[in-house]
């Protein structure tokens, strides 16, 4: 799935993986639906704007470069998605 400069991939297969399953589970939970929507928006923004004009909260995981963490707080819960950028692909690894 491409949202701009990067193609979004879900580890391990590209189109399916833990992060995608996690986001789908959030969407099914009425109390977490808004968090899922905001995370999806953050992922689209990250893919579109990388590496310039980032409007999302990103942290490099020191000692584990090139891994990074997309951070989003919603409803008092801190959501994290671990990702890596390889070439023109944004790999979502863990949530």
């Amino acid at each position: 799935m491409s949202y701009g400069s990067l193609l979004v991939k879900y580890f391990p297969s590209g189109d399916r993986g833990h992060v995608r399953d996690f986001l789908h589970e959030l969407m099914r939970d009425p109390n977490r639906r808004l968090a899922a929507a905001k995370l999806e928006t953050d992922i689209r923004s990250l893919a579109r704007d990388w590496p310039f004009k980032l409007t999302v909260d990103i942290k490099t995981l020191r000692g584990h470069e090139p891994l990074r963490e997309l951070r989003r707080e919603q409803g008092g819960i801190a959501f994290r998605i671990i990702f890596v950028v390889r070439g023109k692909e944004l790999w979502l690894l863990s949530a």
Side-chain angles (χ1 to χ4, degrees), residues 2-50:
S2 179
Y3 294 110
S5 62
L6 297 178
L7 180 64
V8 177
K9 299 278 195 164
Y10 298 91
F11 181 82
S13 70
D15 60 345
R16 291 178 295 167
H18 172 69
V19 175
R20 185 172 180 163
D21 295 343
F22 174 75
L23 292 172
H24 283 260
E25 286 298 317
L26 285 179
M27 284 300 278
R28 284 195 274 274
D29 182 344
N31 297 319
R32 303 278 188 255
R33 201 169 282 148
L34 182 59
K38 288 189 175 196
L39 285 167
E40 290 279 357
T41 299
D42 289 348
I43 292 166
R44 281 194 297 272
S45 296
L46 179 61
R48 181 190 64 231
D49 298 335
W50 182 265

Side-chain angles (χ1 to χ4, degrees), residues 25-91:
E25 286 298 317
L26 285 179
M27 284 300 278
R28 284 195 274 274
D29 182 344
N31 297 319
R32 303 278 188 255
R33 201 169 282 148
L34 182 59
K38 288 189 175 196
L39 285 167
E40 290 279 357
T41 299
D42 289 348
I43 292 166
R44 281 194 297 272
S45 296
L46 179 61
R48 181 190 64 231
D49 298 335
W50 182 265
F52 308 105
K53 299 186 307 183
L54 293 179
T55 58
V56 294
D57 187 10
I58 300 295
K59 176 185 172 190
T60 299
L61 298 179
R62 291 194 178 134
H64 300 283
E65 293 87 356
L67 295 180
R68 291 183 171 88
E69 176 183 57
L70 168 66
R71 304 183 301 176
R72 161 64 70 178
E73 188 169 326
Q74 178 62 41
I77 299 172
F79 294 93
R80 306 287 189 252
I81 296 177
I82 306 301
F83 71 94
V84 66
V85 175
R86 288 285 185 216
K88 292 287 187 179
E89 296 176 334
L90 169 64
W91 282 91

